[in-house]
Amino acid sequence: MQNNIYMIDVQGLEKFYGTVRVLDNVNLSVEKGEKIVLCGPSGSGKSTLIRCISGLEARSKGKIRVAGHDLETDCRNIGDYRGEVGMVFQQFNLFPHLNVLQNVMMAPRLVRNQEKATVRERSMALLERVHIANRADYYPEQLSGGQQQRVAIARALCMQPKVMLFDEPTSALDPEMVQEVLDVMIALAKSGMTMIVVTHEMGFARTVADRVIFMDKGQIVEGGTPDTFFDYPENDRTKEFLRKIQHS
Amino acid sequence: MSFEIFLTAIPIVLKGLWLTLLITFCAFLLGQIVALPLALLARARSRLLRWPVKTWIFFIRGSPLLVQLFIIYFGMGEVDAIRNSVFWPILREPLNCAILAVGLNSGAYSAELLRGGLRQIPVGQLEAARVLGMSGFHALTRITLPQVYRNVLPVTGNEIILVMKGSALASAVTVMEMTGAARAFVSKTYAPFEVFTVAGIIYLVIGLALSQLFRGIERATAIPSSATETS
Ligand SMILES: Nc1ncnc2c1ncn2[C@@H]1O[C@H](COP(=O)(O)OP(=O)(O)O)[C@@H](O)[C@H]1O
Ligand SMILES: [Mg+2]
């Protein structure tokens, strides 16, 4: 760890699906506590990139190091992360047969073997933090999308991750539920969490991001602080993308 | 048709009830035990693991249960390795042959049910489990199987009734379960209509009881949804 100051370090990442190159020499270094917003057109490789970082997707080439763990090319050692790399999905992916509290408590109990009372206390505190403690005994199907996504965030946080990755966490939500999830993420960002967030919520990007990075066709095209990125984009592809999302 | 024979047939057929229940229960249990490994292997990534299992399931589902029972009952004694094994005293018993045949048969069908159920679990849940650090074993036992078994519960209730009906074939290898008892009584009274009607009604009652049981389990294990508010 000492000779690597980055919390997330991606070097020369390449990923093929068959003969299609979906990630092309991606380099991304994220410092501890840094917040990155990743944007770009659909199919540009954003999901693939953070799925590679989270260890869900094997890659063809390149180095990935997260929270001091070198991830092997085929992700065989994803177990080394032991939940230290939290991930929040577009589709929530809660466990439908478990209630909210059980969803949050399960992994720390099984993976870390932590004491039940300790985990329960931490889980309830996290559910408070995402404003859903009063639904601790509800089942996912009984919750709205926004509530489910906040539970999913609490579930990831209960593993006390060093890094949180978000893949379009508000894209599957009804518009009126987007803000409640973003508010939770903003609070998390303020607490100093290292985050990579794939989103097109530009308000969120301006509030939270240290850097906004634009991807297209598997490449990182450009990146910068929110102000420079949104107000003075350099690349034509970036300009076109920004024009499109601001008109929608 | 004689009402008197009807009444005397009841206790005679009921003498086979215990064996019918025993075969049904043991064969169903055996089937459930072999079904899970079969279903998991049938979904294995390696073709070397998948192929033998699929062939086995194909043969069992593609041939009559009675033929399978005869193969086990008459055929196993011909194999020296089996006849000389410590299991021979157990496998020699017609009752055990029947349980084995019906159980293995049910196992193949149940494996297909489980395989369908396994396919229904969204991959996203398993990915969530993986990034949470959970092992494949924990994902299987804590996430996948509790949902799969819930989902296949209704068809498993059908399966146990099929097993009960299959248990009647045991009479073909001298086991005096209900059908066997009925046949023996018919050869004495020459009143097949009354005797087999009694047997049929008792099978029906057992079937009803089993499906009620499974419906009860279904209700007890149902996942609360928005339609059924928790208190
Ligand atoms: N499992 C897969 N098999 C083949 N191609 C895939 C698969 N997943 C994604 N792709 C392709 O990879 C490219 C990048 O996809 P993705 O990372 O999902 O983009 P984004 O998240 O930016 O919309 C797309 O062209 C997509 O079609
Ligand atoms: Mg995506």
Side-chain angles (χ1 to χ4, degrees), chain A residues 17 20 22 40-49 57 167-168 198:
Chain A
Y17 277 119
V20 186
V22 290
S42 171
S44 57
K46 309 177 296 294
S47 295
T48 308
L49 173 56
E57 206 78 67
D167 191 2
E168 305 209 31
V198 177

Side-chain angles (χ1 to χ4, degrees), chain B residues 74-80 83 88:
Chain B
F74 296 114
M76 282 200 315
E78 312 258 307
V79 183
D80 287 340
R83 210 179 42 231
W88 182 236

Side-chain angles (χ1 to χ4, degrees), chain B residues 150-182:
Chain B
R150 274 189 184 87
N151 292 344
V152 300
L153 208 49
V155 280
T156 305
N158 284 342
E159 182 58 30
I160 196 170
I161 289 172
L162 292 176
V163 168
M164 175 197 73
K165 294 197 254 180
S167 74
L169 293 179
S171 63
V173 292
T174 74
V175 179
M176 294 304 270
E177 43 66 70
M178 288 205 306
T179 305

